[in-house]
C-alpha cells in the first residue's frame, strides 16, 4: 500500500513538477550560489529503507564484525592496501558486501535513474528520499560535529572517521574492529539515541565518481533508518513518483545521458543500457506474462 501524503511525503503528478521539487531550496544565500544542501536516494518501490546488513542478519553487530574480517582476509590479493576498517567497509559496500551503509547521491537525476532502472517495477510507484545534510549534521554529538566543523565539511571521509576512532577509541590495533567502531556506541549512549552521518567514499573506480556517490551511516547497525528519518521531518522528505510517470522519466533521462552506460562505465553498463534502450513497452508487457522458464532464457 502506498503511504498517504503527509507533510513529509509529497506525490508529484508531472515530470516538471518533480524536477522543480528536487531542486527546490537549492539557493545558498551565504555563497550566493545554487548549492543544494540535499542528498538523494531513489527506489523503484515505496518499500521502507533497510541496509543490506539488516536484510542478511538479525544480530547485525556480530555479523558485521565477521563479514568485515572475512572480506579483508580474502580480498587482499584484489584490493589495495588499506589500514582503516572504514576503508574496508566502504570498499565492501561498493562491491556488494552486506554492510550498515546505504547508498545515496548528490545528484537528483542519478536518484531518478534508480527509480526507473528496474523495468519489473514499472507497475509500482517509486520513491525518492531527499535529506538535508546540514539539518542531520545539527543532530550529531559534539565530538563528531567538531570534526566536521574543523574540516569545514558537510560529510565525512574515511580518514576523518579514522581520526575520530583514534580520539574516542580505547586502544587496539589499526585494524581492530571494536577499537575503530566502538566509539560510535559510546557517543550514542551520551547522545541518548542513534545519530546519522554521511560518508564520502574514496574514488576507487569511476562508478563512484559518475554516480556522485556517498553513503549514510547510523551509529547502531540495527537501527531503523526509515524510522530515524521519519522522526526528523525538518531534515528528510519523501517524494512519491507515480508508476504512470516512470516511462516518461526514463525516456527523458536517456536523452539527458543519465543511463547505465554513463553511471556504470564499463562493458557491463554498456550492455545493460543497450538491453533496456532497445526493449519496447510491448516487450515488457509480454514479459510480465511469461513463465519462469521463459525468463530464464534472458540470462543465457
Amino acid at each position: 500500500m502506498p503511504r498517504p501524503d503527509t507533510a513529509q511525503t509529497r506525490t508529484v503528478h508531472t515530470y516538471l513538477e518533480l524536477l522543480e521539487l528536487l531542486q527546490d531550496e537549492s539557493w545558498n544565500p551565504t555563497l550566493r550560489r545554487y548549492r543544494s544542501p540535499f542528498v538523494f536516494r531513489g527506489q523503484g518501490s515505496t518499500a521502507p529503507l533497510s541496509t543490506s546488513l539488516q536484510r542478511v542478519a538479525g544480530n547485525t553487530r556480530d555479523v558485521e564484525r565477521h563479514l568485515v574480517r572475512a572480506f579483508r582476509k580474502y580480498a587482499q590479493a584484489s584490493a589495495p592496501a588499506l589500514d582503516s576498517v572504514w576503508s574496508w567497509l566502504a570498499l565492501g559496500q561498493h562491491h556488494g558486501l552486506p554492510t550498515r551503509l546505504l547508498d545515496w547521491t548528490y545528484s537528483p537525476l542519478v536518484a531518478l535513474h534508480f527509480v526507473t532502472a528496474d523495468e519489473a517495477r514499472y507497475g509500482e510507484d517509486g520513491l525518492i528520499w531527499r535529506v538535508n545534510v546540514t539539518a542531520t549534521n545539527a543532530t550529531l554529538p559534539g565530538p563528531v560535529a567538531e570534526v566536521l566543523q574543523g574540516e569545514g565539511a558537510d560529510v565525512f571521509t574515511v580518514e576523518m572517521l579514522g581520526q575520530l576512532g583514534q580520539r574516542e577509541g580505547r586502544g587496539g590495533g589499526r585494524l581492530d574492529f571494536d577499537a575503530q567502531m566502538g566509539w560510535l556506541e559510546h557517543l550514542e549512549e551520551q547522545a541518548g539515541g542513534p545519530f546519522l552521518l554521511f560518508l564520502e567514499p574514496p574514488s576507487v573506480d569511476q562508478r563512484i565518481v559518475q554516480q556522485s556517490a556517498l553513503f549514510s551511516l547510523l551509529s547502531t547497525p540495527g537501527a531503523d533508518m526509515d524510522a530515524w528519518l521519519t522522526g526528523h521531518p525538518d531534515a528528510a522528505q519523501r517524494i512519491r513518483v507515480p508508476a504512470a510517470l516512470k516511462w516518461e522519466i526514463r525516456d527523458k533521462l536517456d536523452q539527458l545521458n543519465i543511463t547505465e552506460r554513463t553511471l556504470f562505465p564499463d562493458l557491463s553498463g554498456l550492455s545493460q543500457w543497450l538491453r533496456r534502450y532497445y526493449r519496447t513497452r510491448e516487450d515488457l508487457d509480454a514479459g510480465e506474462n511469461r513463465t519462469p522458464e521463459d525468463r530464464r532464457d534472458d540470462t543465457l
Side-chain angles (χ1 to χ4, degrees):
M1 291 289 293
R3 295 181 176 95
D5 278 9
T6 66
Q8 195 185 20
T9 304
R10 289 276 303 275
T11 298
V12 295
H13 302 285
T14 68
Y15 176 71
L16 292 179
E17 181 188 2
L18 174 59
L19 290 184
E20 183 176 3
L21 183 56
L22 288 173
Q23 296 181 310
D24 189 29
E25 301 179 66
S26 61
W27 175 254
N28 186 319
T30 302
L31 298 177
R32 298 176 63 197
R33 300 288 300 273
Y34 287 95
R35 294 287 187 264
S36 174
F38 296 101
V39 297
F40 306 87
R41 177 178 170 85
Q43 302 178 180
S45 73
T46 58
L49 294 172
S50 64
T51 66
S52 53
L53 180 64
Q54 290 170 328
R55 294 191 291 271
V56 164
N59 191 338
T60 53
R61 196 182 314 280
D62 288 342
V63 172
E64 180 183 45
R65 181 186 297 106
H66 295 310
L67 282 168
V68 173
R69 183 188 68 243
F71 182 76
R72 190 172 67 213
K73 178 172 68 173
Y74 294 118
Q76 292 284 354
S78 304
L82 304 172
D83 62 359
S84 163
V85 165
W86 298 106
S87 296
W88 283 109
L89 201 64
L91 183 66
Q93 171 73 8
H94 181 63
H95 288 284
L97 183 74
T99 76
R100 70 169 72 188
L101 305 177
L102 268 179
D103 295 288
W104 297 75
T105 176
Y106 290 109
S107 168
L109 295 183
V110 171
L112 276 180
H113 169 82
F114 288 103
V115 171
T116 59
D118 186 355
E119 292 172 316
R121 293 190 177 276
Y122 273 30
E124 303 176 47
D125 289 355
L127 193 70
I128 292 179
W129 279 96
R130 189 175 79 139
V131 174
N132 187 321
V133 175
T134 302
T136 59
N137 286 344
T139 70
L140 291 172
V144 184
E146 288 170 8
V147 171
L148 279 181
Q149 293 165 2
E151 294 286 341
D154 291 319
V155 301
F156 285 87
T157 63
V158 294
E159 292 80 13
M160 291 161 66
L161 289 179
Q163 293 171 14
L164 264 171
Q166 292 174 5
R167 191 171 78 181
E168 301 292 331
R170 301 177 181 178
R174 288 190 306 168
L175 291 175
D176 181 83
F177 185 90
D178 291 327
Q180 290 205 21
M181 300 187 73
W183 59 269
L184 283 167
E185 297 171 25
H186 176 65
L187 290 177
E188 182 179 298
E189 290 176 3
Q190 294 181 343
F195 57 88
L196 175 69
L197 56 84
F198 285 89
L199 166 66
E200 194 167 288
S203 297
V204 294
D205 69 19
Q206 281 301 303
R207 282 172 52 186
I208 289 176
V209 176
Q210 293 297 104
Q211 294 176 22
S212 299
L214 71 163
F215 303 138
S216 64
L217 164 72
L218 275 171
S219 52
T220 298
D224 187 334
M225 171 70 84
D226 205 275
W228 195 97
L229 291 174
T230 301
H232 293 78
D234 60 322
Q237 182 184 48
R238 289 183 295 257
I239 302 171
R240 186 161 60 231
V241 181
L245 271 183
K246 284 188 174 182
W247 277 104
E248 179 183 356
I249 293 168
R250 183 63 265 165
D251 288 345
K252 289 180 175 177
L253 288 178
D254 284 341
Q255 187 176 27
L256 292 169
N257 204 28
I258 306 297
T259 71
E260 296 87 348
R261 182 175 66 88
T262 54
L263 299 180
F264 301 88
D266 54 26
L267 294 180
S268 295
L270 173 61
S271 299
Q272 289 176 38
W273 169 61
L274 291 172
R275 177 186 178 90
R276 179 188 53 73
Y277 190 81
Y278 284 99
R279 287 189 72 180
T280 66
R281 295 183 69 162
E282 289 76 12
D283 290 335
L284 183 60
D285 292 340
E288 292 176 352
N289 298 318
R290 290 183 300 165
T291 66
E293 288 73 20
D294 293 331
R295 293 193 184 95
R296 195 174 298 127
D297 292 339
D298 290 343
T299 66
L300 299 178

